[in-house]
Amino acid sequence: MPQIDDLVLFTQVIEHGSFSKVAELNNITKSVVSKRVSKLESELGVQLIYRTTRKLTLTEPGEVLYHRAKDIRQVAHSAFDAVTGYSEALSGHIRMSVPTISGEMLLAEAVSDFCKKHPGMTVEMSLNNEFVDLLSENVDLVIRTGYLEDSSLIARHIFNSRWLICASPDYIEKHGIPMTPKALQHHNCFGYNKQSTGAFDWLFTRNGEIYTLKVAGNFSSDNAAALRKAALAGNGLAYLPTCLIYDDLQQGKLVKVLPEHTGKVVGIYAVYPYTRKPAKRIQALIEHIRERYLAIQERF
């Protein structure tokens, strides 16, 4: 198996066009560089570079290898940066935006504990359900649900949030409990307006596949906490994040409906501007939040 160090030397030779320059950069002799590139070629069983007295030219296999491996140094540096420095004293200020529910239920305590653990740190946390423009609003970190496709931002997956259908015992006593997803069409189901697919489109699983069933009801909201309140009042069925109704389920104020059929799982992501080396304080806070989620994963 070729050594990663030899692959790095090979990419440097191509970028600088000279064995001598690479030798100087790495404080080794030109002959060592040449031998290690030759060793790489021997291990791969292909010629990577045409060598002449005037210039170096990539062979076809060399082109393929170079384009696949040219970012290897940056990837390695990013990996090392991600785990170094956590034992060092952290300092500075972080502006972050989080969803209202997450901020109220978990993140306020988690983030304040982070500040207590690192006395040199200060964090300003805004509770906002709308996605903010990190650059124009000078926000360092955003916690959001759902995957974000934006090349100028990095979204790091933290955890998956499971959703459940629930109703109050009073509602079940009056209207019965649906035994199949199709039976929901005879029940008052609350809609969640934040869903891009539609407020009354509920997700289910069948034979390992996810499918959508359209339900109907007399109430909808873009706020999950409002739907929880309506369910607690016995007015219908709601499809909500487990973290929001966990205590209600434990206390018997709400009961699960069709738990073996529900298929909605939403990813929770930490989002920050794309940089080659994000600040260690940002990395440390993300890891702290992730550990908090993992510690109480049964609530999610």
Side-chain angles (χ1 to χ4, degrees), residues 257-299:
V257 176
L258 299 171
E260 68 277 13
H261 294 280
T262 50
K264 185 171 183 177
V265 177
V266 179
I268 299 173
Y269 293 85
V271 182
Y272 53 93
Y274 177 84
T275 56
R276 289 197 168 188
K277 186 178 179 181
K280 287 186 173 61
R281 60 179 178 271
I282 302 293
Q283 300 172 42
L285 178 55
I286 292 172
E287 189 60 31
H288 178 82
I289 291 170
R290 181 175 176 275
E291 288 173 357
R292 283 302 183 91
Y293 274 111
L294 290 173
I296 56 171
Q297 57 185 309
E298 73 279 357
R299 289 177 170 261

mmCIF file of all heavy atoms in Angstrom, residues 257-299:
data_model
loop_
_atom_site.group_PDB
_atom_site.id
_atom_site.type_symbol
_atom_site.label_atom_id
_atom_site.label_comp_id
_atom_site.label_asym_id
_atom_site.label_seq_id
_atom_site.Cartn_x
_atom_site.Cartn_y
_atom_site.Cartn_z
ATOM 1 N N VAL A 257 -49.402 7.319 18.598
ATOM 2 C CA VAL A 257 -50.347 6.753 17.636
ATOM 3 C C VAL A 257 -49.548 6.208 16.444
ATOM 4 O O VAL A 257 -48.710 6.912 15.871
ATOM 5 C CB VAL A 257 -51.356 7.813 17.160
ATOM 6 C CG1 VAL A 257 -52.274 7.224 16.083
ATOM 7 C CG2 VAL A 257 -52.177 8.345 18.333
ATOM 8 N N LEU A 258 -49.765 4.946 16.111
ATOM 9 C CA LEU A 258 -49.093 4.298 14.973
ATOM 10 C C LEU A 258 -47.561 4.448 15.006
ATOM 11 O O LEU A 258 -46.932 4.757 13.985
ATOM 12 C CB LEU A 258 -49.619 4.878 13.648
ATOM 13 C CG LEU A 258 -51.113 4.700 13.375
ATOM 14 C CD1 LEU A 258 -51.510 5.522 12.141
ATOM 15 C CD2 LEU A 258 -51.453 3.238 13.157
ATOM 16 N N PRO A 259 -46.915 4.251 16.162
ATOM 17 C CA PRO A 259 -45.461 4.472 16.235
ATOM 18 C C PRO A 259 -44.659 3.559 15.311
ATOM 19 O O PRO A 259 -43.570 3.928 14.864
ATOM 20 C CB PRO A 259 -45.139 4.200 17.706
ATOM 21 C CG PRO A 259 -46.244 3.301 18.170
ATOM 22 C CD PRO A 259 -47.465 3.755 17.435
ATOM 23 N N GLU A 260 -45.198 2.357 15.012
ATOM 24 C CA GLU A 260 -44.468 1.430 14.149
ATOM 25 C C GLU A 260 -44.576 1.803 12.673
ATOM 26 O O GLU A 260 -43.899 1.219 11.826
ATOM 27 C CB GLU A 260 -44.984 -0.010 14.351
ATOM 28 C CG GLU A 260 -46.395 -0.269 13.858
ATOM 29 C CD GLU A 260 -47.483 0.143 14.849
ATOM 30 O OE1 GLU A 260 -47.170 0.863 15.828
ATOM 31 O OE2 GLU A 260 -48.645 -0.256 14.636
ATOM 32 N N HIS A 261 -45.405 2.788 12.357
ATOM 33 C CA HIS A 261 -45.592 3.198 10.959
ATOM 34 C C HIS A 261 -44.969 4.561 10.634
ATOM 35 O O HIS A 261 -44.783 4.879 9.460
ATOM 36 C CB HIS A 261 -47.084 3.265 10.623
ATOM 37 C CG HIS A 261 -47.773 1.929 10.654
ATOM 38 N ND1 HIS A 261 -47.702 1.041 9.616
ATOM 39 C CD2 HIS A 261 -48.534 1.334 11.614
ATOM 40 C CE1 HIS A 261 -48.402 -0.053 9.906
ATOM 41 N NE2 HIS A 261 -48.920 0.101 11.117
ATOM 42 N N THR A 262 -44.697 5.371 11.644
ATOM 43 C CA THR A 262 -44.213 6.725 11.378
ATOM 44 C C THR A 262 -42.829 6.686 10.730
ATOM 45 O O THR A 262 -41.983 5.874 11.094
ATOM 46 C CB THR A 262 -44.157 7.563 12.670
ATOM 47 O OG1 THR A 262 -43.456 6.829 13.678
ATOM 48 C CG2 THR A 262 -45.565 7.879 13.164
ATOM 49 N N GLY A 263 -42.622 7.581 9.773
ATOM 50 C CA GLY A 263 -41.373 7.550 9.017
ATOM 51 C C GLY A 263 -40.665 8.881 8.903
ATOM 52 O O GLY A 263 -39.767 9.037 8.088
ATOM 53 N N LYS A 264 -41.073 9.850 9.714
ATOM 54 C CA LYS A 264 -40.443 11.158 9.579
ATOM 55 C C LYS A 264 -39.219 11.272 10.497
ATOM 56 O O LYS A 264 -39.326 11.173 11.720
ATOM 57 C CB LYS A 264 -41.438 12.276 9.908
ATOM 58 C CG LYS A 264 -40.871 13.675 9.668
ATOM 59 C CD LYS A 264 -41.932 14.757 9.779
ATOM 60 C CE LYS A 264 -41.362 16.125 9.472
ATOM 61 N NZ LYS A 264 -42.362 17.194 9.507
ATOM 62 N N VAL A 265 -38.077 11.477 9.889
ATOM 63 C CA VAL A 265 -36.819 11.690 10.612
ATOM 64 C C VAL A 265 -36.164 12.920 9.998
ATOM 65 O O VAL A 265 -35.974 12.980 8.782
ATOM 66 C CB VAL A 265 -35.882 10.480 10.500
ATOM 67 C CG1 VAL A 265 -34.560 10.767 11.209
ATOM 68 C CG2 VAL A 265 -36.534 9.230 11.079
ATOM 69 N N VAL A 266 -35.835 13.893 10.825
ATOM 70 C CA VAL A 266 -35.269 15.150 10.338
ATOM 71 C C VAL A 266 -33.859 15.324 10.904
ATOM 72 O O VAL A 266 -33.652 15.218 12.111
ATOM 73 C CB VAL A 266 -36.148 16.350 10.738
ATOM 74 C CG1 VAL A 266 -35.528 17.651 10.257
ATOM 75 C CG2 VAL A 266 -37.555 16.186 10.157
ATOM 76 N N GLY A 267 -32.902 15.578 10.025
ATOM 77 C CA GLY A 267 -31.531 15.792 10.471
ATOM 78 C C GLY A 267 -31.355 17.150 11.132
ATOM 79 O O GLY A 267 -31.944 18.142 10.703
ATOM 80 N N ILE A 268 -30.560 17.172 12.183
ATOM 81 C CA ILE A 268 -30.204 18.421 12.865
ATOM 82 C C ILE A 268 -28.768 18.750 12.472
ATOM 83 O O ILE A 268 -27.876 17.911 12.598
ATOM 84 C CB ILE A 268 -30.334 18.278 14.391
ATOM 85 C CG1 ILE A 268 -31.778 17.941 14.754
ATOM 86 C CG2 ILE A 268 -29.881 19.559 15.092
ATOM 87 C CD1 ILE A 268 -31.973 17.608 16.221
ATOM 88 N N TYR A 269 -28.552 19.971 11.981
ATOM 89 C CA TYR A 269 -27.248 20.346 11.444
ATOM 90 C C TYR A 269 -26.699 21.610 12.092
ATOM 91 O O TYR A 269 -27.465 22.519 12.444
ATOM 92 C CB TYR A 269 -27.342 20.596 9.930
ATOM 93 C CG TYR A 269 -27.649 19.351 9.131
ATOM 94 C CD1 TYR A 269 -28.958 18.935 8.945
ATOM 95 C CD2 TYR A 269 -26.623 18.595 8.567
ATOM 96 C CE1 TYR A 269 -29.249 17.780 8.209
ATOM 97 C CE2 TYR A 269 -26.894 17.453 7.826
ATOM 98 C CZ TYR A 269 -28.212 17.056 7.664
ATOM 99 O OH TYR A 269 -28.481 15.929 6.929
ATOM 100 N N ALA A 270 -25.379 21.630 12.238
ATOM 101 C CA ALA A 270 -24.672 22.855 12.600
ATOM 102 C C ALA A 270 -24.146 23.442 11.300
ATOM 103 O O ALA A 270 -23.460 22.765 10.533
ATOM 104 C CB ALA A 270 -23.522 22.550 13.551
ATOM 105 N N VAL A 271 -24.491 24.686 11.023
ATOM 106 C CA VAL A 271 -24.132 25.319 9.759
ATOM 107 C C VAL A 271 -23.241 26.525 10.030
ATOM 108 O O VAL A 271 -23.550 27.355 10.892
ATOM 109 C CB VAL A 271 -25.394 25.770 8.995
ATOM 110 C CG1 VAL A 271 -25.024 26.377 7.650
ATOM 111 C CG2 VAL A 271 -26.356 24.593 8.809
ATOM 112 N N TYR A 272 -22.140 26.624 9.284
ATOM 113 C CA TYR A 272 -21.237 27.757 9.441
ATOM 114 C C TYR A 272 -20.605 28.097 8.102
ATOM 115 O O TYR A 272 -20.598 27.267 7.186
ATOM 116 C CB TYR A 272 -20.157 27.464 10.504
ATOM 117 C CG TYR A 272 -19.377 26.189 10.295
ATOM 118 C CD1 TYR A 272 -18.171 26.198 9.603
ATOM 119 C CD2 TYR A 272 -19.841 24.978 10.808
ATOM 120 C CE1 TYR A 272 -17.447 25.041 9.420
ATOM 121 C CE2 TYR A 272 -19.128 23.803 10.622
ATOM 122 C CZ TYR A 272 -17.929 23.844 9.932
ATOM 123 O OH TYR A 272 -17.212 22.676 9.746
ATOM 124 N N PRO A 273 -20.099 29.314 7.950
ATOM 125 C CA PRO A 273 -19.517 29.720 6.663
ATOM 126 C C PRO A 273 -18.347 28.845 6.272
ATOM 127 O O PRO A 273 -17.593 28.371 7.127
ATOM 128 C CB PRO A 273 -19.071 31.168 6.914
ATOM 129 C CG PRO A 273 -19.884 31.624 8.061
ATOM 130 C CD PRO A 273 -20.082 30.410 8.926
ATOM 131 N N TYR A 274 -18.183 28.618 4.972
ATOM 132 C CA TYR A 274 -17.085 27.804 4.480
ATOM 133 C C TYR A 274 -15.763 28.524 4.692
ATOM 134 O O TYR A 274 -15.560 29.636 4.226
ATOM 135 C CB TYR A 274 -17.255 27.496 2.987
ATOM 136 C CG TYR A 274 -16.086 26.709 2.425
ATOM 137 C CD1 TYR A 274 -16.044 25.329 2.561
ATOM 138 C CD2 TYR A 274 -15.023 27.349 1.807
ATOM 139 C CE1 TYR A 274 -14.977 24.603 2.080
ATOM 140 C CE2 TYR A 274 -13.948 26.634 1.317
ATOM 141 C CZ TYR A 274 -13.927 25.258 1.457
ATOM 142 O OH TYR A 274 -12.861 24.545 1.001
ATOM 143 N N THR A 275 -14.876 27.863 5.416
ATOM 144 C CA THR A 275 -13.496 28.343 5.563
ATOM 145 C C THR A 275 -12.602 27.117 5.600
ATOM 146 O O THR A 275 -13.045 26.024 5.964
ATOM 147 C CB THR A 275 -13.273 29.140 6.873
ATOM 148 O OG1 THR A 275 -13.647 28.324 7.991
ATOM 149 C CG2 THR A 275 -14.091 30.417 6.883
ATOM 150 N N ARG A 276 -11.375 27.297 5.250
ATOM 151 C CA ARG A 276 -10.464 26.153 5.287
ATOM 152 C C ARG A 276 -10.153 25.741 6.721
ATOM 153 O O ARG A 276 -9.863 24.598 6.994
ATOM 154 C CB ARG A 276 -9.170 26.494 4.554
ATOM 155 C CG ARG A 276 -9.356 26.599 3.052
ATOM 156 C CD ARG A 276 -8.041 26.529 2.337
ATOM 157 N NE ARG A 276 -8.224 26.353 0.921
ATOM 158 C CZ ARG A 276 -7.237 26.114 0.074
ATOM 159 N NH1 ARG A 276 -5.998 26.028 0.521
ATOM 160 N NH2 ARG A 276 -7.474 25.958 -1.202
ATOM 161 N N LYS A 277 -10.206 26.705 7.620
ATOM 162 C CA LYS A 277 -9.874 26.398 9.000
ATOM 163 C C LYS A 277 -10.819 27.161 9.922
ATOM 164 O O LYS A 277 -10.497 28.261 10.386
ATOM 165 C CB LYS A 277 -8.415 26.774 9.299
ATOM 166 C CG LYS A 277 -7.951 26.344 10.688
ATOM 167 C CD LYS A 277 -6.488 26.709 10.907
ATOM 168 C CE LYS A 277 -6.021 26.303 12.301
ATOM 169 N NZ LYS A 277 -4.619 26.677 12.546
ATOM 170 N N PRO A 278 -12.005 26.609 10.212
ATOM 171 C CA PRO A 278 -12.937 27.296 11.100
ATOM 172 C C PRO A 278 -12.344 27.441 12.501
ATOM 173 O O PRO A 278 -11.538 26.619 12.937
ATOM 174 C CB PRO A 278 -14.165 26.373 11.115
ATOM 175 C CG PRO A 278 -13.648 25.052 10.677
ATOM 176 C CD PRO A 278 -12.524 25.325 9.745
ATOM 177 N N ALA A 279 -12.735 28.495 13.188
ATOM 178 C CA ALA A 279 -12.188 28.772 14.522
ATOM 179 C C ALA A 279 -12.417 27.589 15.452
ATOM 180 O O ALA A 279 -13.468 26.945 15.422
ATOM 181 C CB ALA A 279 -12.840 30.028 15.085
ATOM 182 N N LYS A 280 -11.431 27.314 16.282
ATOM 183 C CA LYS A 280 -11.540 26.179 17.217
ATOM 184 C C LYS A 280 -12.699 26.361 18.184
ATOM 185 O O LYS A 280 -13.301 25.396 18.635
ATOM 186 C CB LYS A 280 -10.221 26.002 17.979
ATOM 187 C CG LYS A 280 -9.106 25.413 17.124
ATOM 188 C CD LYS A 280 -7.870 25.129 17.960
ATOM 189 C CE LYS A 280 -6.819 24.382 17.139
ATOM 190 N NZ LYS A 280 -6.344 25.129 15.979
ATOM 191 N N ARG A 281 -13.031 27.597 18.509
ATOM 192 C CA ARG A 281 -14.151 27.802 19.429
ATOM 193 C C ARG A 281 -15.471 27.357 18.795
ATOM 194 O O ARG A 281 -16.359 26.852 19.485
ATOM 195 C CB ARG A 281 -14.224 29.265 19.876
ATOM 196 C CG ARG A 281 -14.428 30.288 18.772
ATOM 197 C CD ARG A 281 -14.503 31.694 19.352
ATOM 198 N NE ARG A 281 -14.661 32.701 18.309
ATOM 199 C CZ ARG A 281 -13.657 33.296 17.675
ATOM 200 N NH1 ARG A 281 -12.412 32.970 17.995
ATOM 201 N NH2 ARG A 281 -13.872 34.202 16.746
ATOM 202 N N ILE A 282 -15.596 27.537 17.461
ATOM 203 C CA ILE A 282 -16.787 27.077 16.753
ATOM 204 C C ILE A 282 -16.828 25.550 16.752
ATOM 205 O O ILE A 282 -17.856 24.931 17.044
ATOM 206 C CB ILE A 282 -16.812 27.597 15.302
ATOM 207 C CG1 ILE A 282 -16.771 29.128 15.273
ATOM 208 C CG2 ILE A 282 -18.030 27.054 14.568
ATOM 209 C CD1 ILE A 282 -17.998 29.782 15.821
ATOM 210 N N GLN A 283 -15.696 24.933 16.429
ATOM 211 C CA GLN A 283 -15.608 23.476 16.419
ATOM 212 C C GLN A 283 -15.934 22.903 17.798
ATOM 213 O O GLN A 283 -16.657 21.912 17.923
ATOM 214 C CB GLN A 283 -14.213 23.037 16.004
ATOM 215 C CG GLN A 283 -13.790 23.496 14.607
ATOM 216 C CD GLN A 283 -12.328 23.184 14.344
ATOM 217 O OE1 GLN A 283 -11.845 22.114 14.679
ATOM 218 N NE2 GLN A 283 -11.615 24.136 13.760
ATOM 219 N N ALA A 284 -15.385 23.545 18.842
ATOM 220 C CA ALA A 284 -15.593 23.048 20.206
ATOM 221 C C ALA A 284 -17.057 23.159 20.616
ATOM 222 O O ALA A 284 -17.603 22.256 21.268
ATOM 223 C CB ALA A 284 -14.704 23.824 21.176
ATOM 224 N N LEU A 285 -17.716 24.251 20.256
ATOM 225 C CA LEU A 285 -19.130 24.422 20.607
ATOM 226 C C LEU A 285 -19.994 23.397 19.874
ATOM 227 O O LEU A 285 -20.908 22.813 20.471
ATOM 228 C CB LEU A 285 -19.587 25.841 20.269
ATOM 229 C CG LEU A 285 -21.074 26.146 20.550
ATOM 230 C CD1 LEU A 285 -21.445 25.836 21.992
ATOM 231 C CD2 LEU A 285 -21.390 27.606 20.213
ATOM 232 N N ILE A 286 -19.717 23.156 18.597
ATOM 233 C CA ILE A 286 -20.469 22.155 17.848
ATOM 234 C C ILE A 286 -20.329 20.780 18.498
ATOM 235 O O ILE A 286 -21.306 20.053 18.674
ATOM 236 C CB ILE A 286 -19.994 22.110 16.382
ATOM 237 C CG1 ILE A 286 -20.368 23.394 15.657
ATOM 238 C CG2 ILE A 286 -20.592 20.898 15.654
ATOM 239 C CD1 ILE A 286 -19.774 23.510 14.253
ATOM 240 N N GLU A 287 -19.115 20.433 18.867
ATOM 241 C CA GLU A 287 -18.887 19.129 19.498
ATOM 242 C C GLU A 287 -19.592 19.042 20.849
ATOM 243 O O GLU A 287 -20.153 18.002 21.206
ATOM 244 C CB GLU A 287 -17.385 18.884 19.661
ATOM 245 C CG GLU A 287 -17.027 17.475 20.105
ATOM 246 C CD GLU A 287 -17.498 16.412 19.126
ATOM 247 O OE1 GLU A 287 -17.562 16.702 17.915
ATOM 248 O OE2 GLU A 287 -17.821 15.295 19.589
ATOM 249 N N HIS A 288 -19.595 20.132 21.591
ATOM 250 C CA HIS A 288 -20.277 20.169 22.888
ATOM 251 C C HIS A 288 -21.781 19.941 22.698
ATOM 252 O O HIS A 288 -22.406 19.167 23.434
ATOM 253 C CB HIS A 288 -20.023 21.523 23.552
ATOM 254 C CG HIS A 288 -20.722 21.700 24.866
ATOM 255 N ND1 HIS A 288 -20.219 21.212 26.051
ATOM 256 C CD2 HIS A 288 -21.900 22.316 25.173
ATOM 257 C CE1 HIS A 288 -21.054 21.520 27.039
ATOM 258 N NE2 HIS A 288 -22.080 22.181 26.531
ATOM 259 N N ILE A 289 -22.363 20.604 21.704
ATOM 260 C CA ILE A 289 -23.799 20.449 21.421
ATOM 261 C C ILE A 289 -24.096 19.017 20.993
ATOM 262 O O ILE A 289 -25.081 18.406 21.437
ATOM 263 C CB ILE A 289 -24.239 21.449 20.335
ATOM 264 C CG1 ILE A 289 -24.195 22.876 20.891
ATOM 265 C CG2 ILE A 289 -25.634 21.118 19.819
ATOM 266 C CD1 ILE A 289 -24.386 23.947 19.831
ATOM 267 N N ARG A 290 -23.254 18.475 20.136
ATOM 268 C CA ARG A 290 -23.453 17.099 19.675
ATOM 269 C C ARG A 290 -23.422 16.119 20.841
ATOM 270 O O ARG A 290 -24.253 15.199 20.927
ATOM 271 C CB ARG A 290 -22.363 16.738 18.660
ATOM 272 C CG ARG A 290 -22.483 15.330 18.102
ATOM 273 C CD ARG A 290 -21.440 15.089 17.025
ATOM 274 N NE ARG A 290 -21.499 13.719 16.557
ATOM 275 C CZ ARG A 290 -20.871 12.690 17.148
ATOM 276 N NH1 ARG A 290 -20.132 12.918 18.232
ATOM 277 N NH2 ARG A 290 -20.979 11.471 16.669
ATOM 278 N N GLU A 291 -22.502 16.303 21.772
ATOM 279 C CA GLU A 291 -22.418 15.423 22.933
ATOM 280 C C GLU A 291 -23.675 15.515 23.799
ATOM 281 O O GLU A 291 -24.136 14.513 24.351
ATOM 282 C CB GLU A 291 -21.176 15.773 23.759
ATOM 283 C CG GLU A 291 -19.863 15.366 23.092
ATOM 284 C CD GLU A 291 -18.648 15.868 23.850
ATOM 285 O OE1 GLU A 291 -18.837 16.594 24.866
ATOM 286 O OE2 GLU A 291 -17.522 15.561 23.430
ATOM 287 N N ARG A 292 -24.241 16.719 23.914
ATOM 288 C CA ARG A 292 -25.472 16.886 24.678
ATOM 289 C C ARG A 292 -26.642 16.142 24.036
ATOM 290 O O ARG A 292 -27.455 15.521 24.716
ATOM 291 C CB ARG A 292 -25.805 18.373 24.829
ATOM 292 C CG ARG A 292 -24.960 19.073 25.882
ATOM 293 C CD ARG A 292 -25.132 18.396 27.245
ATOM 294 N NE ARG A 292 -24.394 19.078 28.274
ATOM 295 C CZ ARG A 292 -24.887 20.051 29.036
ATOM 296 N NH1 ARG A 292 -26.145 20.442 28.877
ATOM 297 N NH2 ARG A 292 -24.145 20.621 29.951
ATOM 298 N N TYR A 293 -26.739 16.236 22.719
ATOM 299 C CA TYR A 293 -27.798 15.498 22.016
ATOM 300 C C TYR A 293 -27.632 13.994 22.233
ATOM 301 O O TYR A 293 -28.598 13.275 22.513
ATOM 302 C CB TYR A 293 -27.762 15.807 20.516
ATOM 303 C CG TYR A 293 -28.533 17.035 20.117
ATOM 304 C CD1 TYR A 293 -27.869 18.181 19.668
ATOM 305 C CD2 TYR A 293 -29.927 17.062 20.173
ATOM 306 C CE1 TYR A 293 -28.575 19.314 19.288
ATOM 307 C CE2 TYR A 293 -30.637 18.194 19.797
ATOM 308 C CZ TYR A 293 -29.951 19.306 19.366
ATOM 309 O OH TYR A 293 -30.661 20.427 18.996
ATOM 310 N N LEU A 294 -26.402 13.503 22.102
ATOM 311 C CA LEU A 294 -26.157 12.075 22.256
ATOM 312 C C LEU A 294 -26.456 11.582 23.667
ATOM 313 O O LEU A 294 -26.911 10.453 23.865
ATOM 314 C CB LEU A 294 -24.699 11.754 21.890
ATOM 315 C CG LEU A 294 -24.344 11.882 20.412
ATOM 316 C CD1 LEU A 294 -22.837 11.701 20.202
ATOM 317 C CD2 LEU A 294 -25.105 10.862 19.586
ATOM 318 N N ALA A 295 -26.219 12.456 24.650
ATOM 319 C CA ALA A 295 -26.441 12.075 26.045
ATOM 320 C C ALA A 295 -27.905 11.824 26.361
ATOM 321 O O ALA A 295 -28.246 11.085 27.287
ATOM 322 C CB ALA A 295 -25.865 13.137 26.981
ATOM 323 N N ILE A 296 -28.793 12.461 25.620
ATOM 324 C CA ILE A 296 -30.239 12.283 25.869
ATOM 325 C C ILE A 296 -30.936 11.845 24.583
ATOM 326 O O ILE A 296 -32.045 12.284 24.271
ATOM 327 C CB ILE A 296 -30.870 13.565 26.430
ATOM 328 C CG1 ILE A 296 -30.621 14.767 25.495
ATOM 329 C CG2 ILE A 296 -30.396 13.868 27.832
ATOM 330 C CD1 ILE A 296 -31.395 16.018 25.883
ATOM 331 N N GLN A 297 -30.285 10.953 23.830
ATOM 332 C CA GLN A 297 -30.784 10.578 22.523
ATOM 333 C C GLN A 297 -32.152 9.914 22.557
ATOM 334 O O GLN A 297 -32.902 9.941 21.570
ATOM 335 C CB GLN A 297 -29.790 9.686 21.811
ATOM 336 C CG GLN A 297 -29.418 8.418 22.564
ATOM 337 C CD GLN A 297 -28.327 7.650 21.837
ATOM 338 O OE1 GLN A 297 -28.430 7.383 20.645
ATOM 339 N NE2 GLN A 297 -27.265 7.317 22.537
ATOM 340 N N GLU A 298 -32.535 9.311 23.691
ATOM 341 C CA GLU A 298 -33.852 8.683 23.749
ATOM 342 C C GLU A 298 -34.975 9.724 23.629
ATOM 343 O O GLU A 298 -36.110 9.401 23.296
ATOM 344 C CB GLU A 298 -34.027 7.898 25.050
ATOM 345 C CG GLU A 298 -34.224 8.714 26.317
ATOM 346 C CD GLU A 298 -32.914 9.254 26.907
ATOM 347 O OE1 GLU A 298 -31.852 8.924 26.332
ATOM 348 O OE2 GLU A 298 -32.963 9.945 27.938
ATOM 349 N N ARG A 299 -34.652 10.994 23.887
ATOM 350 C CA ARG A 299 -35.643 12.058 23.774
ATOM 351 C C ARG A 299 -35.824 12.504 22.330
ATOM 352 O O ARG A 299 -36.696 13.340 22.050
ATOM 353 C CB ARG A 299 -35.220 13.265 24.607
ATOM 354 C CG ARG A 299 -35.312 13.032 26.109
ATOM 355 C CD ARG A 299 -34.813 14.255 26.870
ATOM 356 N NE ARG A 299 -35.106 14.134 28.291
ATOM 357 C CZ ARG A 299 -36.128 14.691 28.900
ATOM 358 N NH1 ARG A 299 -36.980 15.441 28.197
ATOM 359 N NH2 ARG A 299 -36.334 14.548 30.190
#
